[in-house]
C-alpha cells in the first residue's frame, strides 16, 4: 500500500517521538558540576533501577521521633557547599544593601556568608588555615531563620555536616558524614546515631546587612556563587514564607506573642530564653548603637545592637561588668566600667583586659517561631 | 472494535514534587457501540530528575523521583449516549538521593492507588467522525496516604500511593475527522480536577490539598496498515496548569506551598496496534516541551506507558 507523503511524515514523527522519550537520560544539557566534595560517587548519572540502600533503622533519639519530619528533599537533597570559594568585599557585585550576611571571625580572617546562597544549601563546610586554623560549618535554616557556626572537630576527628532532609520543630537537622549521626541545629547536640549526646562547640558569629558588613569589615572574604551547583541565587526559594504567619511543618509550641517571622535575637541558656527585638536598639532611622545589660537564667549577659545597622550580638558579662554603647567609632561598639573598649566580636581592644574575649552565650538571630518550641520559658525583653 | 480514537489518551498524570499522586489525568476510553465492555491494562514509568526554577532548567541533580504504576481501566457502554468507566492502580514511588559519599538513600512507598470513576454522556457522534462527549467523575481516596518509612517517619504527600482526598473531575472530548474518506482526525480533550483535602496529614497534625488542575490535550490522529493490521498513531500536545498545593498546620489557615504547581507543555506521541477487532496493544510517551514551575522543584523528565486493550460486546450488536 502506498501512503501519501503527509501520512509518511506523520508516522515518522510518532515513531521518533516514542524513541526520543525512551532514550531520554538523566544527563542534563547544562553542564552539571561534579559533586563538589570530589567523592567517588557518580551523582550525575546514577542508575535509578539499582537497588541502592534503604535508610537504616535507628532506635534511640533524644527528641521525640514522632516530631521529626521529612522535609521532602531527602538526605543531601539540599546539597551542602563543601568547597566554598570567596571573593573580597570589593569584588562582590551580587548583593544589595539590605541582603543579610552572616559573619564569622577567626584570628585576622573575617568571612561573610550571604543568606541568598545559604537559602539554597543550608550548610557550608569551611576551613581556615594559618596561625589559628579552624574547620567549621556555617549552618543556616531558612525555615527558622537561624544561623549557627559549628566547630567541625567532633570527638577528636574533623567531620563534614550535610543536610539530612529532616526537621524538628521546623528546624534543620544536619547529619555528620563520619558517623551518619543526626544533630539538632538549635539544640547544638547530636540527637540520634553513634554520636548521640555529643554537644557541638558553637563559634561567635554576627548576622547583619551587606551594607553594615561591608562597611565594618572591608577586608573580609565573602562566599561567592561558585558553589559547584546551578541554583537561582538571589531568588528566595520559599515564596512568601519569610513574611507570612504560617508554618510548613508542625512545632510543639506555637506562641503568638510576636509575629512568627519577626527576626529577633535570642539568648538560650538551659531551658529558658530571652529574646530581644530590634526596637530595643533604637529606631530604624537612628544610626546609634545601644547596649542592654541583662540576666538570663541567672547568667549576666550583655546585648549590643543597632536597629538601623541591623545587628544584635550578645556575650556573657563576667566579673559583673557593666557596659555602655560607643558610637561614632569604626571598631569599638561598647565600653565597660573598667574602661575597656570592646569590638563587635567581644574582643577587648584597649584597657586592662586588652586581648581578652568576652565568653560566648548561646545566642543567635532567628524568627520568633524558633524559640518557644525549644524552651519551656521564653521572655521577651522590654 | 477497539476504537480508532484509542490513541487519544490513556496517559497518566505526572508524579513529582509538583504533581502528587499519579492518576489518570486524561480519562476517556474510546466511545464504543452499545453493550460493549472495554478493558485497558497498562504499565507506566514516570521519571523526574530535572530541577527547574520558573522557566529555567538548572539541570539534573542528585535527587531523582520515579513512579511505576500498573493500571487497570474498565468501561462499559450502556447505549449510544451513556457509558461509565473506572480506573484502579497499583503505585510504587521512589525517591533516590545520591549522597556525597556516593551511596544512595531511598525512600519508597507502594500500594493500591486512588480509584477513579467517570460517567460519560455522548452528546453527538456522526458517520463523518464528529463526536462530542462530556463526563463527570470522582477520584476516591482508596489509596494509602499515610505510609511510614522504615524508621516510622511519615512520608510526604507526593510520595504516597494515594492522596487521601475525595476529588471531582469534569471531562470533555471533541473529535473531528478532517479528511472526507480518510482516517485522519483531530481531537481536543480538556479536563479539570478539583482536589479535596486530606485531613490526617503528618500524624494528624495538618491537612494537605493537592492543587486543582486543568489539562487540555489536543492531538492529530491517523491510521496506517502495517502487516495487514491497523496502526493508529497520534501526535498530541498537552497543556497542564496546576495550582499550588495547600497545607495547614494545626488550626492555621491553609498555606500555599512554595515549590508546587506550575504550567507545562508536553508532547505526547502514541501508537496503538490493533491485532484484531477486540484486542490492541499500545504505547505512548510524554516528552516535556516547556515548563514554568512555581519557585524551584523537580519537574518531569520523561514518561513511558505501554499496555493492552480489549473490547468485548456483551450482547449481540447490530454490526
Amino acid at each position: 500500500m502506498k501512503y501519501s507523503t503527509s501520512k509518511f511524515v506523520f508516522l515518522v514523527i510518532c515513531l521518533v517521538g516514542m524513541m526520543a522519550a525512551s532514550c531520554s537520560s538523566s544527563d542534563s544539557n547544562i553542564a552539571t558540576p561534579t559533586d563538589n566534595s570530589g567523592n567517588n560517587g557518580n551523582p550525575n548519572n546514577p542508575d535509578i533501577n539499582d537497588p541502592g540502600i534503604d535508610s537504616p533503622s535507628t532506635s534511640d533519639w533524644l527528641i521525640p521521633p514522632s516530631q521529626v519530619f521529612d522535609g521532602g528533599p531527602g538526605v543531601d537533597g539540599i546539597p551542602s557547599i563543601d568547597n566554598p570559594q570567596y571573593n573580597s568585599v570589593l569584588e562582590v557585585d551580587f548583593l544589595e544593601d539590605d541582603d543579610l550576611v552572616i559573619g564569622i571571625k577567626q584570628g585576622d580572617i573575617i568571612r561573610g556568608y550571604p543568606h541568598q546562597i545559604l537559602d539554597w544549601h543550608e550548610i557550608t563546610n569551611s576551613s581556615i588555615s594559618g596561625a589559628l586554623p579552624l574547620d567549621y560549618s556555617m549552618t543556616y535554616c531558612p525555615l527558622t531563620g537561624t544561623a549557627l557556626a559549628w566547630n567541625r572537630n567532633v570527638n577528636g576527628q574533623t567531620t563534614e555536616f550535610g543536610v539530612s532532609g529532616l526537621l524538628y520543630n521546623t528546624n534543620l537537622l544536619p547529619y555528620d558524614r563520619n558517623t551518619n549521626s543526626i544533630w539538632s541545629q538549635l539544640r547544638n547536640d547530636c540527637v540520634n546515631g553513634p554520636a548521640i549526646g555529643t554537644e557541638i562547640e558553637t563559634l561567635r558569629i554576627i548576622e547583619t546587612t551587606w551594607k553594615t558588613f561591608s562597611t565594618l569589615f572591608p577586608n573580609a572574604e565573602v562566599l561567592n556563587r561558585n558553589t559547584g551547583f546551578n541554583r537561582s541565587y538571589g531568588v528566595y526559594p520559599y515564596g512568601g514564607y519569610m513574611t507570612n504567619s504560617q508554618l510548613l511543618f508542625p512545632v510543639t509550641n506555637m506562641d503568638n506573642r510576636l509575629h512568627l517571622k519577626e527576626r529577633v535575637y535570642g539568648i538560650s541558656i538551659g531551658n529558658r530564653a530571652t529574646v530581644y527585638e530590634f526596637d530595643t536598639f533604637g529606631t530604624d532611622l537612628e544610626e546609634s548603637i545601644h547596649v542592654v545589660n541583662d540576666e538570663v537564667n541567672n547568667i549576666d549577659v550583655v546585648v549590643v545592637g543597632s536597629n538601623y545597622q541591623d545587628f544584635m550580638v550578645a556575650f556573657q558579662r563576667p566579673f559583673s561588668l557593666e557596659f555602655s554603647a560607643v558610637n561614632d567609632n569604626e571598631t569599638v561598639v561598647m565600653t565597660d566600667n573598667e574602661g575597656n573598649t570592646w569590638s563587635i566580636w567581644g574582643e577587648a581592644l584597649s584597657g586592662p583586659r586588652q586581648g581578652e574575649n568576652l565568653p560566648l552565650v548561646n545566642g543567635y538571630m532567628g524568627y520568633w517561631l524558633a524559640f518557644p518550641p525549644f524552651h519551656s520559658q521564653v521572655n521577651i525583653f522590654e | 472494535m477497539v476504537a480508532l480514537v484509542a490513541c487519544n489518551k490513556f496517559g497518566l498524570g505526572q508524579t513529582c514534587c509538583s504533581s502528587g499522586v499519579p492518576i489518570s489525568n486524561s480519562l476517556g476510553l474510546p466511545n464504543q457501540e452499545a453493550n460493549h465492555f472495554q478493558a485497558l491494562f497498562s504499565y507506566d514509568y514516570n521519571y523526574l530528575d530535572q530541577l527547574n526554577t520558573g522557566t529555567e532548567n538548572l539541570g539534573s541533580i542528585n535527587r531523582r523521583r520515579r513512579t511505576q504504576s500498573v493500571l487497570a481501566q474498565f468501561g462499559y457502554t450502556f447505549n449510544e449516549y451513556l457509558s461509565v468507566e473506572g480506573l484502579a492502580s497499583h503505585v510504587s514511588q521512589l525517591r533516590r538521593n545520591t549522597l556525597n559519599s556516593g551511596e544512595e538513600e531511598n525512600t519508597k512507598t507502594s500500594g493500591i492507588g486512588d480509584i477513579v470513576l467517570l460517567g460519560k454522556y455522548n452528546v453527538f457522534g456522526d458517520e463523518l467522525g464528529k463526536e462530542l462527549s462530556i463526563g463527570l467523575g470522582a477520584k476516591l481516596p482508596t489509596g494509602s496516604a499515610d505510609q511510614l518509612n522504615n524508621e516510622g517517619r511519615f512520608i510526604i504527600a507526593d510520595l504516597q500511593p494515594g492522596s487521601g482526598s475525595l476529588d471531582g473531575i469534569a471531562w470533555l472530548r471533541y473529535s473531528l475527522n478532517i479528511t472526507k474518506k480518510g482516517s485522519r482526525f483531530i481531537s481536543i480533550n480538556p479536563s479539570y480536577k478539583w482536589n479535596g483535602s486530606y485531613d490526617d496529614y503528618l500524624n494528624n497534625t495538618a491537612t494537605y490539598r493537592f492543587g486543582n488542575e486543568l489539562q487540555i490535550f489536543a492531538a492529530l490522529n491517523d491510521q496506517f496498515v502495517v502487516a495487514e493490521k491497523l496502526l493508529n498513531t497520534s501526535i498530541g500536545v498537552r497543556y497542564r496548569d496546576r495550582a499550588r498545593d495547600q497545607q495547614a498546620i494545626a488550626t492555621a489557615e491553609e498555606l500555599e506551598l512554595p515549590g508546587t504547581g506550575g504550567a507545562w507543555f508536553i508532547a505526547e506521541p502514541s501508537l496503538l496496534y490493533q491485532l484484531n477487532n477486540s484486542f490492541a496493544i499500545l504505547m505512548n510517551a510524554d516528552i516535556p516541551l516547556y515548563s514554568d514551575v512555581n519557585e524551584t522543584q523537580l519537574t518531569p523528565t520523561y514518561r513511558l506507558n505501554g499496555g493492552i486493550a480489549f473490547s468485548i460486546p456483551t450482547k449481540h450488536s447490530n454490526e
Side-chain angles (χ1 to χ4, degrees):
Chain A
M1 176 180 290
K2 291 184 179 179
Y3 293 120
S4 65
T5 302
S6 61
K7 268 185 176 287
F8 180 76
V9 169
F10 187 83
L11 177 59
V12 169
I13 291 173
C14 286
L15 292 172
V16 169
M18 297 296 299
M19 290 172 59
S22 303
C23 296
S24 293
S25 76
S26 60
D27 290 334
S28 168
N29 291 328
I30 298 172
T32 303
T34 55
D35 177 69
N36 63 7
S37 69
N39 287 324
N40 57 4
N42 181 14
N44 294 325
N45 191 18
D47 181 357
I48 198 170
N49 294 309
D50 278 349
I53 60 170
D54 290 336
S55 302
S57 278
T58 55
S59 53
D60 296 332
W61 286 81
L62 296 185
I63 55 179
S66 62
Q67 293 171 14
V68 175
F69 292 98
D70 182 341
V75 181
D76 284 341
I78 295 175
S80 59
I81 299 173
D82 300 323
N83 284 319
Q85 306 296 311
Y86 302 94
N87 284 348
S88 67
V89 166
L90 287 177
E91 292 173 325
V92 171
D93 60 358
F94 59 89
L95 293 175
E96 304 292 335
D97 282 352
D98 291 340
D99 288 339
L100 293 175
V101 176
I102 304 159
I104 187 170
K105 183 176 185 293
Q106 175 73 0
D108 294 330
I109 296 176
I110 297 174
R111 285 183 178 161
Y113 292 81
H115 272 214
Q116 66 163 245
I117 297 176
L118 292 182
D119 279 336
W120 293 90
H121 297 283
E122 301 191 3
I123 295 176
T124 300
N125 292 298
S126 304
S127 295
I128 292 175
S129 56
L132 292 173
L134 175 68
D135 298 312
Y136 65 97
S137 293
M138 184 64 74
T139 70
Y140 174 69
C141 178
L143 300 186
T144 50
T146 50
L148 285 96
W150 286 357
N151 190 327
R152 292 199 284 123
N153 190 294
V154 178
N155 294 330
Q157 289 192 320
T158 301
T159 186
E160 284 186 345
F161 288 95
V163 180
S164 71
L166 303 178
L167 300 166
Y168 171 60
N169 282 323
T170 204
N171 177 244
L172 167 68
L173 292 178
Y175 81 101
D176 77 85
R177 295 190 174 124
N178 280 0
T179 69
N180 287 326
S181 298
I182 305 294
W183 300 68
S184 165
Q185 189 208 35
L186 290 184
R187 285 172 51 109
N188 290 314
D189 66 350
C190 178
V191 294
N192 173 259
I196 189 169
T198 304
E199 295 185 358
I200 202 82
E201 178 190 355
T202 58
L203 308 169
R204 63 186 70 213
I205 60 173
I206 179 174
E207 179 178 292
T208 186
T209 61
W210 172 241
K211 179 180 179 181
T212 298
F213 182 88
S214 56
T215 301
L216 291 178
F217 315 118
N219 297 318
E221 302 174 340
V222 181
L223 178 69
N224 65 31
R225 293 176 169 182
N226 296 327
T227 61
F229 300 95
N230 189 4
R231 295 292 186 274
S232 297
Y233 303 118
V235 176
Y236 181 64
Y238 297 99
Y241 179 83
M242 193 186 303
T243 54
N244 66 32
S245 58
Q246 292 159 320
L247 301 175
L248 292 178
F249 293 91
V251 297
T252 54
N253 181 9
M254 282 265 284
D255 188 325
N256 293 310
R257 283 181 286 164
L258 298 178
H259 189 282
L260 292 182
K261 309 297 175 55
E262 178 180 341
R263 282 178 65 231
V264 296
Y265 188 87
I267 296 175
S268 172
I269 298 177
N271 61 356
R272 296 184 181 181
T274 297
V275 301
Y276 304 83
E277 299 179 81
F278 272 108
D279 289 347
T280 302
F281 300 89
T283 70
D284 57 2
L285 298 177
E286 172 196 343
E287 297 188 36
S288 59
I289 295 170
H290 299 261
V291 163
V292 170
N293 295 282
D294 200 6
E295 176 189 304
V296 178
N297 209 6
N298 300 315
I299 302 295
D300 292 335
V301 300
V302 57
V303 186
V304 55
S306 166
N307 191 351
Y308 180 83
Q309 297 182 59
D310 199 310
F311 74 85
M312 288 184 274
V313 291
F315 310 96
Q316 291 190 38
R317 276 193 301 127
F319 317 112
S320 300
L321 292 173
E322 292 287 326
F323 293 85
S324 55
V326 172
N327 285 283
D328 301 323
N329 187 302
E330 289 184 355
T331 56
V332 175
V333 296
M334 56 187 182
T335 183
D336 65 30
N337 53 306
E338 290 184 356
N340 302 294
T341 60
W342 301 86
S343 75
I344 201 170
W345 299 104
E347 305 161 313
L349 300 177
S350 67
R353 298 185 184 276
Q354 183 176 0
E356 295 181 14
N357 289 295
L358 291 172
L360 288 180
V361 290
N362 185 25
Y364 46 89
M365 294 293 302
Y367 299 139
W368 160 248
L369 69 92
F371 293 92
F374 287 89
H375 303 91
S376 60
Q377 180 178 330
V378 181
N379 298 317
I380 302 172
F381 180 84
E382 295 181 6
Chain B
M1 174 185 291
V2 177
L4 300 179
V5 298
C7 290
N8 195 339
K9 216 36 218 164
F10 299 107
L12 296 180
Q14 295 290 331
T15 225
C16 77
C17 312
S18 60
S19 182
V21 177
I23 63 168
S24 177
N25 285 336
S26 196
L27 286 170
L29 291 170
N31 291 339
Q32 292 289 339
E33 295 175 359
N35 305 313
H36 261 77
F37 172 79
Q38 296 183 80
L40 168 61
F41 303 97
S42 61
Y43 168 78
D44 192 272
Y45 184 93
N46 193 358
Y47 181 71
L48 298 87
D49 80 337
Q50 295 294 303
L51 191 68
N52 277 26
T53 181
T55 60
E56 182 184 1
N57 177 257
L58 302 180
S60 60
I61 60 175
N62 65 325
R63 170 164 47 113
R64 285 91 60 209
R65 288 283 306 274
R66 180 191 72 195
T67 303
Q68 298 180 89
S69 307
V70 176
L71 301 108
Q73 272 178 279
F74 303 97
Y76 186 77
T77 306
F78 295 99
N79 52 48
E80 63 179 304
Y81 298 110
L82 294 176
S83 60
V84 294
E85 60 183 75
L87 177 141
S89 60
H90 183 277
V91 179
S92 298
Q93 301 236 39
L94 172 68
R95 179 185 69 197
R96 172 165 286 170
N97 288 12
T98 301
L99 310 186
N100 278 32
S101 62
E103 289 182 286
E104 295 190 330
E105 184 246 6
N106 298 320
T107 301
K108 305 174 187 173
T109 63
S110 68
I112 300 297
D114 294 339
I115 288 176
V116 182
L117 299 174
L118 182 72
K120 295 191 304 181
Y121 178 76
N122 189 25
V123 180
F124 61 78
D126 60 28
E127 293 178 351
L128 298 178
K130 190 187 297 182
E131 293 185 358
L132 174 66
S133 299
I134 58 176
L136 287 175
K139 184 183 70 63
L140 309 178
T142 51
S144 65
D146 57 358
Q147 291 194 15
L148 308 177
N149 71 358
N150 60 1
E151 297 175 351
R153 189 169 306 118
F154 201 93
I155 296 175
I156 56 173
D158 73 344
L159 267 174
Q160 299 278 353
S163 67
S165 64
L166 175 65
D167 307 336
I169 299 169
W171 175 95
L172 179 148
R173 182 169 64 207
Y174 176 78
S175 61
L176 172 69
N177 198 314
I178 58 175
T179 54
K180 274 189 178 179
K181 294 184 179 179
S183 58
R184 189 175 302 168
F185 62 95
I186 57 174
S187 61
I188 185 164
N189 173 205
S191 64
Y192 192 82
K193 189 158 77 73
W194 294 269
N195 290 320
S197 174
Y198 175 42
D199 296 333
D200 296 329
Y201 189 52
L202 293 182
N203 298 330
N204 302 315
T205 60
T207 65
Y208 198 93
R209 184 192 305 269
F210 289 100
N212 294 339
E213 189 166 282
L214 166 70
Q215 297 204 45
I216 303 174
F217 179 69
L220 175 65
N221 306 266
D222 207 342
Q223 275 186 320
F224 305 86
V225 175
V226 176
E228 300 181 350
K229 301 185 191 303
L230 278 177
L231 175 66
N232 298 282
T233 62
S234 169
I235 283 287
V237 175
R238 174 182 304 280
Y239 170 72
R240 179 168 164 252
D241 189 307
R242 176 175 156 157
R244 295 175 189 273
D245 296 354
Q246 295 182 323
Q247 177 178 295
I249 302 293
T251 58
E253 294 181 0
E254 284 189 333
L255 164 72
E256 290 191 335
L257 293 179
T260 62
W264 294 261
F265 279 97
I266 304 162
E268 298 190 12
S270 298
L271 298 171
L272 182 142
Y273 191 59
Q274 290 184 226
L275 298 178
N276 54 42
N277 281 354
S278 301
F279 181 67
I281 55 177
L282 64 138
M283 295 169 40
N284 59 75
D286 282 2
I287 305 168
L289 298 174
Y290 172 85
S291 65
D292 184 2
V293 301
N294 294 324
E295 288 80 47
T296 301
Q297 54 185 276
L298 276 181
T299 198
T301 305
Y302 65 88
R303 184 187 65 80
L304 299 173
N305 178 283
I308 55 175
F310 302 90
S311 175
I312 302 169
T314 56
K315 295 180 183 178
H316 290 296
S317 60
N318 295 324
E319 287 191 41

